[in-house]
């Protein structure tokens, strides 16, 4: 048997092999651009971890306010100047603690957002993800992946530090003075 390959058949096969990559790319899922942007402000305020941070900070604020109320009650009978100084110092300390707690909660949320962006970037073949706030010009309809990242971030649960505690201790000289003025009852 003598089989001979006809030239038109060979030409058609060659042409089909050349066109195969173009045809298969039409059916492929759209690929993300090499540079995309995300709205970090939106991720840091609207995501579930951000809402969890807000709730955590409400609890922190309540603990610190209760501590300040206890401080006020503890020193209500102190001389006015001394009481005002103690309350001002106490308020300053509680405000510093609130600031620390706010920064820590923000760092937790930021860590989750950045981790999810990094995971998505690696799996999507994206070279660079930038914050939308620094974009000067671009096709935002095709380059903004905030919703995609937000969906991933919303699946995460944030873990925050234990709530602070406020301990109020009277000064030693005040304890001694209070003890000296406290009437004692003697038993017969």
């Amino acid at each position: 048997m003598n089989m001979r390959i006809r030239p038109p058949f060979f030409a058609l096969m060659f042409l089909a092999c050349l066109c195969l990559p173009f045809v298969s790319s039409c059916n492929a899922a759209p690929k993300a651009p090499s540079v995309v942007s995300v709205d970090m402000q939106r991720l840091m305020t609207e995501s579930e971890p951000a809402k969890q941070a807000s709730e955590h900070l409400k609890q922190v604020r309540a603990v610190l306010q209760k501590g300040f109320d206890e401080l006020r009650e503890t020193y209500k009978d102190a001389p006015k100047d001394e009481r005002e100084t103690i309350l001002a110092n106490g308020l300053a300390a509680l405000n510093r603690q609130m600031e620390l707690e706010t920064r820590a909660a923000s760092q937790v949320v930021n860590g989750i957002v950045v981790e999810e962006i990094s995971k998505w970037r690696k799996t999507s073949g994206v070279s660079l993800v930038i914050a939308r706030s620094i974009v000067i010009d671009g096709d935002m309809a095709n380059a903004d992946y905030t919703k995609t990242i937000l969906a991933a971030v919303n699946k995460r649960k944030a873990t925050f530090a234990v709530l602070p505690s406020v301990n109020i201790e009277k000064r030693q000289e005040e304890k001694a003075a209070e003890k000296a003025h406290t009437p004692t009852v003697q038993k017969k």
Side-chain angles (χ1 to χ4, degrees):
M1 287 192 153
N2 204 357
M3 279 185 103
R4 187 176 144 212
I5 299 178
R6 297 184 181 164
F9 177 74
F10 180 69
L12 285 175
M13 286 303 287
F14 181 72
L15 186 58
C17 288
L18 280 177
C19 293
L20 188 61
F22 298 112
V23 172
S24 64
S25 67
C26 292
N27 294 330
K31 189 177 180 202
S34 62
V35 177
V36 300
S37 70
V38 293
D39 186 346
M40 288 297 288
Q41 181 66 32
R42 182 174 173 202
L43 293 171
M44 293 295 292
T45 57
E46 295 179 18
S47 67
E48 284 303 313
K51 292 174 185 173
Q52 294 164 7
S54 180
E55 185 58 38
H56 172 73
L57 291 174
K58 282 181 188 176
Q59 294 172 353
V60 168
R61 194 171 291 111
V63 167
L64 297 178
Q65 182 61 50
K66 182 180 176 200
F68 186 72
D69 293 343
E70 288 174 9
L71 180 67
R72 189 180 301 140
E73 181 63 29
T74 301
Y75 288 97
K76 71 180 178 186
D77 295 330
K80 183 181 179 186
D81 291 341
E82 180 183 354
R83 182 178 64 242
E84 287 177 357
T85 301
I86 290 170
L87 292 178
N89 291 338
L91 184 60
L94 295 176
N95 284 336
R96 283 190 303 273
Q97 183 64 37
M98 188 65 200
E99 181 62 31
L100 290 171
E101 296 285 343
T102 301
R103 270 193 245 133
S106 181
Q107 288 174 345
V108 168
V109 174
N110 188 61
I112 291 171
V113 168
V114 169
E115 187 178 314
E116 289 302 322
I117 289 171
S118 181
K119 280 191 228 175
W120 177 83
R121 183 192 65 75
K122 290 174 184 171
T123 60
S124 300
V126 172
S127 300
L128 184 65
V129 179
I130 59 174
R132 186 174 183 171
S133 63
I134 64 170
V135 174
I136 296 172
D137 188 31
D139 181 6
M140 295 314 291
N142 291 320
D144 185 11
Y145 279 76
T146 304
K147 288 180 183 177
T148 303
I149 301 300
L150 185 61
V153 170
N154 282 344
K155 294 177 184 175
R156 298 282 301 270
K157 180 165 177 22
T159 304
F160 301 101
V162 176
L163 291 175
S165 62
V166 179
N167 298 319
I168 299 168
E169 295 180 11
K170 284 192 169 185
R171 295 182 181 158
Q172 292 297 331
E173 57 271 5
E174 290 173 3
K175 287 180 184 178
E178 196 173 88
K179 195 174 189 181
H181 296 298
T182 304
T184 58
V185 178
Q186 295 180 357
K187 292 185 181 180
K188 292 185 179 182

